[in-house]
Amino acid sequence: MKNENNNLTKRERDCIITVGERRNQSFPTRVSFIAKSLGMKMPTVEEIVKRLVKKGLVQKEAGMVILTAKGDQCYEEIIMKHRAMETFLFECGVDADDACKEVSKFDYLIEKKSVYKIMEKIGKPERCPHGFKIMV
């Protein structure tokens, strides 16, 4: 089964992560916050959000961006793969913060089934090096 996240760009991934990290806030994420957080110009973020709306991953209303159910699922999958791969690199001797930075470059591209095989190989750890639950 093809990973739906493979059709994301790195910038789309970063936008989903930014919105997802704030999803439990009392106020939805503003486009301006995304732009500032990612160091991008507003028109660039507007275009990324437009693509994510078209893919059914976010909703945008009055400058606010929220994840849809599909977007929430996408966010959770990226986070799970990120933490699993970060743990793998850490187990191989890479510094935890360096592993986090490296994995952020490709976590949205790797197939879930590959992550499961890697996790099996390293003993199914429950938490990443930063202490967050992996949720495999």
Side-chain angles (χ1 to χ4, degrees):
M1 180 177 185
K2 186 160 173 50
N3 177 355
E4 283 189 18
N5 295 341
N6 280 340
N7 67 358
L8 290 178
T9 67
K10 174 71 165 84
R11 287 181 166 185
E12 289 169 345
R13 174 258 186 221
D14 292 346
C15 186
I16 288 172
I17 296 300
T18 301
V19 175
E21 287 174 346
R22 295 180 46 86
R23 66 189 172 167
N24 294 326
Q25 301 289 320
S26 58
F27 200 69
T29 306
R30 290 189 171 279
V31 173
S32 59
F33 178 85
I34 298 168
K36 185 176 180 182
S37 295
L38 299 178
M40 294 181 201
K41 296 186 186 284
M42 286 285 290
T44 302
V45 174
E46 290 282 0
E47 183 56 38
I48 293 167
V49 169
K50 197 180 297 183
R51 291 193 313 253
L52 291 173
V53 167
K54 198 177 271 189
K55 292 177 180 185
L57 298 172
V58 300
Q59 291 178 321
K60 181 182 173 232
E61 188 174 314
M64 308 290 184
V65 181
I66 60 168
L67 295 175
T68 62
K70 183 178 175 183
D72 196 52
Q73 186 177 28
C74 178
Y75 168 78
E76 290 290 338
E77 185 174 317
I78 292 169
I79 291 297
M80 180 276 295
K81 293 189 290 186
H82 177 93
R83 291 176 181 166
M85 295 308 297
E86 176 183 45
T87 303
F88 172 69
L89 289 181
F90 181 75
E91 292 287 322
C92 292
V94 177
D95 174 77
D97 291 337
D98 291 340
C100 183
K101 288 176 193 165
E102 286 298 312
V103 170
S104 294
K105 297 175 185 175
F106 67 87
D107 54 13
Y108 64 103
L109 295 172
I110 192 163
E111 296 285 342
K112 195 189 292 189
K113 66 181 180 182
S114 298
V115 172
Y116 289 152
K117 288 179 182 179
I118 289 168
M119 292 302 290
E120 184 78 32
K121 198 73 164 169
I122 63 172
K124 298 182 188 175
E126 292 183 20
R127 299 196 174 271
C128 75
H130 292 101
F132 298 109
K133 192 164 175 59
I134 295 175
M135 302 177 287
V136 174

